[in-house]
Amino acid sequence: MTEALLERVSRACSAGKPFDAAAQEVCALLRKEVPRYNWIGVYMVDGKDSLLLKAWDGPKATEHVRIPISKGVCGAAVREAQTIVVDDVKKDPRYLSCFLSTRSEIVVPIFANGKVVGEIDIDSDKTAAFGDDDRRFLERAAAALASAYVD
Ligand code: SME
């Protein structure tokens, strides 16, 4: 993960671009540049109780377009307001299954005004695909996305 890639993420979120368009560009860019990121989605908090999928890139659509905040790794990241890394999805009871090929997952909250307003969700077909570098990089990507977010 390079500064150059982060720079491209920031450019995708540049001023004036609608949030959903920025999110779509970031999903496509990350999947193209980081081969172990097999499916990438951006969910946004919608109302009090759920997350709604706003953008994604991957081989297949997910059936989890709307996820209750009470459920899944995605819901847990909102409730805990922190990044969650799952090294082996088969061992995490919170995991909501989307793709049979998924082995690990990272969910990174997007903060605006100190509150979680959404998240980046990435699935990998490799076990333990997400390390500290990924976490740091994606937290900065989430901050770039937050800059494109208008409440
Ligand atoms: N696995 C997620 C659900 C979303 S899919 O990965 C696209 C979860 O456990 O919340």
Side-chain angles (χ1 to χ4, degrees), residues 39 43 53 62 64 67 71-75 89 94-99 102 105 107 119 121-123:
W39 188 94
Y43 286 91
L53 186 62
T62 175
H64 298 294
I67 300 176
K71 294 222 163 76
V73 182
C74 287
V89 295
R94 297 170 299 184
Y95 177 67
L96 291 174
S97 172
C98 281
F99 312 109
T102 298
E105 179 167 21
V107 183
E119 61 194 24
D121 173 26
I122 306 183
D123 285 21

PDB file of all heavy atoms in Angstrom, residues 39 43 53 62 64 67 71-75 89 94-99 102 105 107 119 121-123, ligand 1:
ATOM      1  N   TRP A  39     -13.577  -8.257  -2.774  1.00  0.00           N
ATOM      2  CA  TRP A  39     -14.884  -7.566  -2.881  1.00  0.00           C
ATOM      3  C   TRP A  39     -14.830  -6.358  -1.957  1.00  0.00           C
ATOM      4  O   TRP A  39     -14.404  -6.471  -0.798  1.00  0.00           O
ATOM      5  CB  TRP A  39     -16.028  -8.508  -2.470  1.00  0.00           C
ATOM      6  CG  TRP A  39     -17.389  -7.936  -2.743  1.00  0.00           C
ATOM      7  CD1 TRP A  39     -18.138  -8.131  -3.858  1.00  0.00           C
ATOM      8  CD2 TRP A  39     -18.159  -7.076  -1.884  1.00  0.00           C
ATOM      9  NE1 TRP A  39     -19.334  -7.444  -3.740  1.00  0.00           N
ATOM     10  CE2 TRP A  39     -19.369  -6.792  -2.537  1.00  0.00           C
ATOM     11  CE3 TRP A  39     -17.937  -6.521  -0.613  1.00  0.00           C
ATOM     12  CZ2 TRP A  39     -20.356  -5.985  -1.983  1.00  0.00           C
ATOM     13  CZ3 TRP A  39     -18.919  -5.714  -0.055  1.00  0.00           C
ATOM     14  CH2 TRP A  39     -20.118  -5.452  -0.742  1.00  0.00           C
ATOM     15  N   TYR A  43     -20.823   0.934   2.734  1.00  0.00           N
ATOM     16  CA  TYR A  43     -22.155   0.994   3.335  1.00  0.00           C
ATOM     17  C   TYR A  43     -22.271   2.317   4.086  1.00  0.00           C
ATOM     18  O   TYR A  43     -21.312   2.762   4.722  1.00  0.00           O
ATOM     19  CB  TYR A  43     -22.341  -0.132   4.354  1.00  0.00           C
ATOM     20  CG  TYR A  43     -22.537  -1.510   3.770  1.00  0.00           C
ATOM     21  CD1 TYR A  43     -21.441  -2.344   3.529  1.00  0.00           C
ATOM     22  CD2 TYR A  43     -23.809  -1.995   3.506  1.00  0.00           C
ATOM     23  CE1 TYR A  43     -21.623  -3.629   3.018  1.00  0.00           C
ATOM     24  CE2 TYR A  43     -23.995  -3.273   2.993  1.00  0.00           C
ATOM     25  CZ  TYR A  43     -22.905  -4.082   2.755  1.00  0.00           C
ATOM     26  OH  TYR A  43     -23.090  -5.350   2.250  1.00  0.00           O
ATOM     27  N   LEU A  53     -26.020  -0.371   1.328  1.00  0.00           N
ATOM     28  CA  LEU A  53     -24.891  -0.447   0.388  1.00  0.00           C
ATOM     29  C   LEU A  53     -25.014   0.670  -0.658  1.00  0.00           C
ATOM     30  O   LEU A  53     -26.015   0.761  -1.362  1.00  0.00           O
ATOM     31  CB  LEU A  53     -24.905  -1.815  -0.300  1.00  0.00           C
ATOM     32  CG  LEU A  53     -23.727  -2.126  -1.212  1.00  0.00           C
ATOM     33  CD1 LEU A  53     -22.412  -2.140  -0.433  1.00  0.00           C
ATOM     34  CD2 LEU A  53     -23.939  -3.469  -1.908  1.00  0.00           C
ATOM     35  N   THR A  62     -23.783  -8.612  -3.703  1.00  0.00           N
ATOM     36  CA  THR A  62     -24.126  -9.255  -2.438  1.00  0.00           C
ATOM     37  C   THR A  62     -25.624  -9.188  -2.209  1.00  0.00           C
ATOM     38  O   THR A  62     -26.280  -8.226  -2.635  1.00  0.00           O
ATOM     39  CB  THR A  62     -23.405  -8.573  -1.252  1.00  0.00           C
ATOM     40  OG1 THR A  62     -23.861  -9.175  -0.040  1.00  0.00           O
ATOM     41  CG2 THR A  62     -23.668  -7.076  -1.185  1.00  0.00           C
ATOM     42  N   HIS A  64     -26.624  -8.834   0.735  1.00  0.00           N
ATOM     43  CA  HIS A  64     -26.735  -7.974   1.919  1.00  0.00           C
ATOM     44  C   HIS A  64     -26.645  -6.493   1.531  1.00  0.00           C
ATOM     45  O   HIS A  64     -25.646  -5.834   1.797  1.00  0.00           O
ATOM     46  CB  HIS A  64     -25.645  -8.308   2.939  1.00  0.00           C
ATOM     47  CG  HIS A  64     -25.732  -9.692   3.465  1.00  0.00           C
ATOM     48  ND1 HIS A  64     -26.782 -10.125   4.241  1.00  0.00           N
ATOM     49  CD2 HIS A  64     -24.916 -10.762   3.318  1.00  0.00           C
ATOM     50  CE1 HIS A  64     -26.603 -11.396   4.549  1.00  0.00           C
ATOM     51  NE2 HIS A  64     -25.477 -11.810   3.997  1.00  0.00           N
ATOM     52  N   ILE A  67     -28.172  -3.954   5.906  1.00  0.00           N
ATOM     53  CA  ILE A  67     -27.749  -4.766   7.059  1.00  0.00           C
ATOM     54  C   ILE A  67     -28.182  -4.046   8.341  1.00  0.00           C
ATOM     55  O   ILE A  67     -27.835  -2.867   8.534  1.00  0.00           O
ATOM     56  CB  ILE A  67     -26.206  -4.956   7.074  1.00  0.00           C
ATOM     57  CG1 ILE A  67     -25.732  -5.669   5.798  1.00  0.00           C
ATOM     58  CG2 ILE A  67     -25.767  -5.735   8.314  1.00  0.00           C
ATOM     59  CD1 ILE A  67     -24.214  -5.798   5.687  1.00  0.00           C
ATOM     60  N   LYS A  71     -26.542  -6.447  13.464  1.00  0.00           N
ATOM     61  CA  LYS A  71     -26.066  -7.722  12.895  1.00  0.00           C
ATOM     62  C   LYS A  71     -24.738  -7.604  12.151  1.00  0.00           C
ATOM     63  O   LYS A  71     -24.388  -6.537  11.655  1.00  0.00           O
ATOM     64  CB  LYS A  71     -27.100  -8.241  11.895  1.00  0.00           C
ATOM     65  CG  LYS A  71     -28.422  -8.632  12.507  1.00  0.00           C
ATOM     66  CD  LYS A  71     -28.924  -9.921  11.887  1.00  0.00           C
ATOM     67  CE  LYS A  71     -30.006 -10.561  12.741  1.00  0.00           C
ATOM     68  NZ  LYS A  71     -31.286  -9.863  12.603  1.00  0.00           N
ATOM     69  N   GLY A  72     -24.058  -8.757  12.048  1.00  0.00           N
ATOM     70  CA  GLY A  72     -22.895  -8.858  11.168  1.00  0.00           C
ATOM     71  C   GLY A  72     -21.649  -8.171  11.716  1.00  0.00           C
ATOM     72  O   GLY A  72     -21.691  -7.462  12.725  1.00  0.00           O
ATOM     73  N   VAL A  73     -20.559  -8.405  11.026  1.00  0.00           N
ATOM     74  CA  VAL A  73     -19.316  -7.692  11.342  1.00  0.00           C
ATOM     75  C   VAL A  73     -19.529  -6.214  11.004  1.00  0.00           C
ATOM     76  O   VAL A  73     -19.044  -5.319  11.695  1.00  0.00           O
ATOM     77  CB  VAL A  73     -18.136  -8.281  10.533  1.00  0.00           C
ATOM     78  CG1 VAL A  73     -16.842  -7.573  10.888  1.00  0.00           C
ATOM     79  CG2 VAL A  73     -18.006  -9.785  10.767  1.00  0.00           C
ATOM     80  N   CYS A  74     -20.297  -5.992   9.938  1.00  0.00           N
ATOM     81  CA  CYS A  74     -20.594  -4.610   9.519  1.00  0.00           C
ATOM     82  C   CYS A  74     -21.321  -3.847  10.619  1.00  0.00           C
ATOM     83  O   CYS A  74     -20.967  -2.701  10.919  1.00  0.00           O
ATOM     84  CB  CYS A  74     -21.423  -4.617   8.237  1.00  0.00           C
ATOM     85  SG  CYS A  74     -20.454  -5.082   6.796  1.00  0.00           S
ATOM     86  N   GLY A  75     -22.320  -4.467  11.218  1.00  0.00           N
ATOM     87  CA  GLY A  75     -23.055  -3.814  12.309  1.00  0.00           C
ATOM     88  C   GLY A  75     -22.154  -3.580  13.513  1.00  0.00           C
ATOM     89  O   GLY A  75     -22.188  -2.511  14.141  1.00  0.00           O
ATOM     90  N   VAL A  89     -13.230 -15.910   8.777  1.00  0.00           N
ATOM     91  CA  VAL A  89     -14.674 -15.648   8.932  1.00  0.00           C
ATOM     92  C   VAL A  89     -15.430 -16.875   9.447  1.00  0.00           C
ATOM     93  O   VAL A  89     -16.477 -16.734  10.073  1.00  0.00           O
ATOM     94  CB  VAL A  89     -15.315 -15.139   7.612  1.00  0.00           C
ATOM     95  CG1 VAL A  89     -14.748 -13.781   7.222  1.00  0.00           C
ATOM     96  CG2 VAL A  89     -15.159 -16.147   6.479  1.00  0.00           C
ATOM     97  N   ARG A  94     -20.196 -13.534  14.396  1.00  0.00           N
ATOM     98  CA  ARG A  94     -20.880 -12.330  13.914  1.00  0.00           C
ATOM     99  C   ARG A  94     -21.013 -12.308  12.402  1.00  0.00           C
ATOM    100  O   ARG A  94     -21.840 -11.588  11.852  1.00  0.00           O
ATOM    101  CB  ARG A  94     -20.089 -11.064  14.327  1.00  0.00           C
ATOM    102  CG  ARG A  94     -19.978 -10.870  15.812  1.00  0.00           C
ATOM    103  CD  ARG A  94     -19.000  -9.761  16.139  1.00  0.00           C
ATOM    104  NE  ARG A  94     -17.642 -10.063  15.652  1.00  0.00           N
ATOM    105  CZ  ARG A  94     -16.572  -9.298  15.878  1.00  0.00           C
ATOM    106  NH1 ARG A  94     -16.705  -8.190  16.579  1.00  0.00           N
ATOM    107  NH2 ARG A  94     -15.389  -9.636  15.414  1.00  0.00           N
ATOM    108  N   TYR A  95     -20.153 -13.071  11.742  1.00  0.00           N
ATOM    109  CA  TYR A  95     -20.032 -12.982  10.278  1.00  0.00           C
ATOM    110  C   TYR A  95     -21.324 -13.349   9.545  1.00  0.00           C
ATOM    111  O   TYR A  95     -21.889 -14.415   9.783  1.00  0.00           O
ATOM    112  CB  TYR A  95     -18.891 -13.895   9.816  1.00  0.00           C
ATOM    113  CG  TYR A  95     -18.732 -13.944   8.314  1.00  0.00           C
ATOM    114  CD1 TYR A  95     -18.325 -12.829   7.594  1.00  0.00           C
ATOM    115  CD2 TYR A  95     -19.008 -15.119   7.611  1.00  0.00           C
ATOM    116  CE1 TYR A  95     -18.193 -12.867   6.221  1.00  0.00           C
ATOM    117  CE2 TYR A  95     -18.862 -15.169   6.226  1.00  0.00           C
ATOM    118  CZ  TYR A  95     -18.462 -14.039   5.545  1.00  0.00           C
ATOM    119  OH  TYR A  95     -18.339 -14.091   4.173  1.00  0.00           O
ATOM    120  N   LEU A  96     -21.771 -12.462   8.665  1.00  0.00           N
ATOM    121  CA  LEU A  96     -22.898 -12.736   7.762  1.00  0.00           C
ATOM    122  C   LEU A  96     -22.293 -13.146   6.433  1.00  0.00           C
ATOM    123  O   LEU A  96     -21.590 -12.353   5.803  1.00  0.00           O
ATOM    124  CB  LEU A  96     -23.734 -11.475   7.527  1.00  0.00           C
ATOM    125  CG  LEU A  96     -24.554 -10.902   8.666  1.00  0.00           C
ATOM    126  CD1 LEU A  96     -25.172  -9.577   8.224  1.00  0.00           C
ATOM    127  CD2 LEU A  96     -25.642 -11.882   9.065  1.00  0.00           C
ATOM    128  N   SER A  97     -22.594 -14.347   6.007  1.00  0.00           N
ATOM    129  CA  SER A  97     -21.950 -14.873   4.810  1.00  0.00           C
ATOM    130  C   SER A  97     -22.507 -14.246   3.527  1.00  0.00           C
ATOM    131  O   SER A  97     -23.719 -14.115   3.368  1.00  0.00           O
ATOM    132  CB  SER A  97     -22.151 -16.382   4.798  1.00  0.00           C
ATOM    133  OG  SER A  97     -21.711 -16.890   3.585  1.00  0.00           O
ATOM    134  N   CYS A  98     -21.585 -13.860   2.652  1.00  0.00           N
ATOM    135  CA  CYS A  98     -21.986 -13.310   1.352  1.00  0.00           C
ATOM    136  C   CYS A  98     -21.507 -14.201   0.223  1.00  0.00           C
ATOM    137  O   CYS A  98     -22.253 -14.568  -0.651  1.00  0.00           O
ATOM    138  CB  CYS A  98     -21.342 -11.956   1.132  1.00  0.00           C
ATOM    139  SG  CYS A  98     -22.159 -10.660   1.985  1.00  0.00           S
ATOM    140  N   PHE A  99     -20.209 -14.510   0.262  1.00  0.00           N
ATOM    141  CA  PHE A  99     -19.596 -15.254  -0.836  1.00  0.00           C
ATOM    142  C   PHE A  99     -18.898 -16.487  -0.244  1.00  0.00           C
ATOM    143  O   PHE A  99     -18.189 -16.369   0.762  1.00  0.00           O
ATOM    144  CB  PHE A  99     -18.567 -14.385  -1.562  1.00  0.00           C
ATOM    145  CG  PHE A  99     -19.094 -13.018  -1.888  1.00  0.00           C
ATOM    146  CD1 PHE A  99     -18.628 -11.895  -1.219  1.00  0.00           C
ATOM    147  CD2 PHE A  99     -20.101 -12.863  -2.833  1.00  0.00           C
ATOM    148  CE1 PHE A  99     -19.132 -10.637  -1.498  1.00  0.00           C
ATOM    149  CE2 PHE A  99     -20.621 -11.615  -3.118  1.00  0.00           C
ATOM    150  CZ  PHE A  99     -20.137 -10.490  -2.450  1.00  0.00           C
ATOM    151  N   THR A 102     -15.074 -16.225   0.471  1.00  0.00           N
ATOM    152  CA  THR A 102     -14.487 -15.293   1.449  1.00  0.00           C
ATOM    153  C   THR A 102     -13.882 -16.030   2.641  1.00  0.00           C
ATOM    154  O   THR A 102     -14.502 -16.930   3.202  1.00  0.00           O
ATOM    155  CB  THR A 102     -15.558 -14.295   1.956  1.00  0.00           C
ATOM    156  OG1 THR A 102     -16.029 -13.537   0.847  1.00  0.00           O
ATOM    157  CG2 THR A 102     -14.985 -13.353   3.001  1.00  0.00           C
ATOM    158  N   GLU A 105     -12.018 -10.699   6.468  1.00  0.00           N
ATOM    159  CA  GLU A 105     -12.785  -9.467   6.210  1.00  0.00           C
ATOM    160  C   GLU A 105     -12.231  -8.340   7.069  1.00  0.00           C
ATOM    161  O   GLU A 105     -11.777  -8.576   8.196  1.00  0.00           O
ATOM    162  CB  GLU A 105     -14.254  -9.722   6.563  1.00  0.00           C
ATOM    163  CG  GLU A 105     -15.172  -8.521   6.364  1.00  0.00           C
ATOM    164  CD  GLU A 105     -16.670  -8.880   6.427  1.00  0.00           C
ATOM    165  OE1 GLU A 105     -17.007  -9.938   7.007  1.00  0.00           O
ATOM    166  OE2 GLU A 105     -17.471  -8.094   5.898  1.00  0.00           O
ATOM    167  N   VAL A 107     -13.565  -4.330   8.232  1.00  0.00           N
ATOM    168  CA  VAL A 107     -14.601  -3.289   8.153  1.00  0.00           C
ATOM    169  C   VAL A 107     -14.066  -2.045   8.861  1.00  0.00           C
ATOM    170  O   VAL A 107     -13.662  -2.109  10.031  1.00  0.00           O
ATOM    171  CB  VAL A 107     -15.928  -3.753   8.789  1.00  0.00           C
ATOM    172  CG1 VAL A 107     -16.992  -2.668   8.608  1.00  0.00           C
ATOM    173  CG2 VAL A 107     -16.419  -5.063   8.168  1.00  0.00           C
ATOM    174  N   GLU A 119     -19.107   2.911   6.347  1.00  0.00           N
ATOM    175  CA  GLU A 119     -17.928   2.051   6.498  1.00  0.00           C
ATOM    176  C   GLU A 119     -17.487   1.494   5.153  1.00  0.00           C
ATOM    177  O   GLU A 119     -18.265   1.427   4.205  1.00  0.00           O
ATOM    178  CB  GLU A 119     -18.244   0.904   7.466  1.00  0.00           C
ATOM    179  CG  GLU A 119     -19.363   0.017   6.977  1.00  0.00           C
ATOM    180  CD  GLU A 119     -19.901  -0.910   8.061  1.00  0.00           C
ATOM    181  OE1 GLU A 119     -19.758  -0.599   9.264  1.00  0.00           O
ATOM    182  OE2 GLU A 119     -20.456  -1.954   7.698  1.00  0.00           O
ATOM    183  N   ASP A 121     -16.139  -1.968   3.617  1.00  0.00           N
ATOM    184  CA  ASP A 121     -16.151  -3.397   3.945  1.00  0.00           C
ATOM    185  C   ASP A 121     -15.390  -4.132   2.850  1.00  0.00           C
ATOM    186  O   ASP A 121     -15.731  -3.997   1.672  1.00  0.00           O
ATOM    187  CB  ASP A 121     -17.608  -3.877   4.003  1.00  0.00           C
ATOM    188  CG  ASP A 121     -17.714  -5.383   4.164  1.00  0.00           C
ATOM    189  OD1 ASP A 121     -16.777  -5.997   4.704  1.00  0.00           O
ATOM    190  OD2 ASP A 121     -18.753  -5.952   3.754  1.00  0.00           O
ATOM    191  N   ILE A 122     -14.363  -4.872   3.234  1.00  0.00           N
ATOM    192  CA  ILE A 122     -13.586  -5.610   2.231  1.00  0.00           C
ATOM    193  C   ILE A 122     -13.508  -7.088   2.601  1.00  0.00           C
ATOM    194  O   ILE A 122     -13.207  -7.433   3.750  1.00  0.00           O
ATOM    195  CB  ILE A 122     -12.159  -5.031   2.075  1.00  0.00           C
ATOM    196  CG1 ILE A 122     -12.248  -3.522   1.784  1.00  0.00           C
ATOM    197  CG2 ILE A 122     -11.411  -5.757   0.960  1.00  0.00           C
ATOM    198  CD1 ILE A 122     -10.918  -2.850   1.549  1.00  0.00           C
ATOM    199  N   ASP A 123     -13.803  -7.926   1.611  1.00  0.00           N
ATOM    200  CA  ASP A 123     -13.690  -9.378   1.767  1.00  0.00           C
ATOM    201  C   ASP A 123     -12.472  -9.847   0.974  1.00  0.00           C
ATOM    202  O   ASP A 123     -12.227  -9.360  -0.131  1.00  0.00           O
ATOM    203  CB  ASP A 123     -14.902 -10.084   1.151  1.00  0.00           C
ATOM    204  CG  ASP A 123     -16.156  -9.971   1.999  1.00  0.00           C
ATOM    205  OD1 ASP A 123     -16.231  -9.058   2.841  1.00  0.00           O
ATOM    206  OD2 ASP A 123     -17.071 -10.792   1.786  1.00  0.00           O
TER     207      ASP A 123
HETATM  208  N1  SME B   1     -19.855 -10.082   5.881  1.00  0.00           N
HETATM  209  C1  SME B   1     -20.563  -8.886   6.275  1.00  0.00           C
HETATM  210  C2  SME B   1     -21.786  -8.676   5.438  1.00  0.00           C
HETATM  211  C3  SME B   1     -21.527  -7.934   4.173  1.00  0.00           C
HETATM  212  S1  SME B   1     -20.811  -8.858   2.956  1.00  0.00           S
HETATM  213  O1  SME B   1     -19.440  -9.260   3.356  1.00  0.00           O
HETATM  214  C4  SME B   1     -20.734  -8.023   1.545  1.00  0.00           C
HETATM  215  C5  SME B   1     -20.900  -8.929   7.756  1.00  0.00           C
HETATM  216  O2  SME B   1     -20.624  -9.913   8.424  1.00  0.00           O
HETATM  217  O3  SME B   1     -21.468  -7.957   8.252  1.00  0.00           O
END
